[in-house]
Amino acid sequence: DVIKRANNIPTNMGSCHTVIFGDYFVEGHVPMEAINKLLTEMPDIDGIALPGMPSGTPGMPGPKTEEWIIYSIKDGVTSEFMII
């Protein structure tokens, strides 16, 4: 996808939605808690991602069946941002 490549989002971090706002991207069905943390802390990263389409995430049916690991991405390198 053009937007994912343009923002250096690694393939393994991909999902079905990418949102760009300000200097950040949000990839996937990321819960508001993570978006609020991103906007409050304004870390030196390119964006955050929740890979795949986990059950129970915003917009996805079904119950939450596992912890969701939200990743930060900077220059294509990922690290853990938070766990929900």
Side-chain angles (χ1 to χ4, degrees):
D1 168 294
V2 173
I3 293 173
K4 290 173 181 35
R5 283 193 305 271
N7 287 280
N8 207 15
I9 300 171
T11 305
N12 66 331
M13 290 288 116
S15 187
C16 53
H17 305 290
T18 307
V19 176
I20 307 293
F21 57 94
D23 294 329
Y24 296 111
F25 64 77
V26 174
E27 175 70 14
H29 294 260
V30 176
M32 281 306 299
E33 297 95 319
I35 296 170
N36 287 337
K37 178 179 176 177
L38 175 69
L39 296 176
T40 299
E41 296 180 3
M42 298 183 69
D44 182 23
I45 60 174
D46 299 322
I48 57 176
L50 176 56
M53 299 187 309
S55 175
T57 56
M60 290 302 297
K64 181 178 179 186
T65 59
E66 61 190 345
E67 290 185 323
W68 301 324
I69 302 173
I70 314 302
Y71 294 92
S72 64
I73 303 171
K74 172 73 174 177
D75 299 326
V77 177
T78 62
S79 60
E80 188 179 291
F81 183 68
M82 71 183 298
I83 297 176
I84 298 176

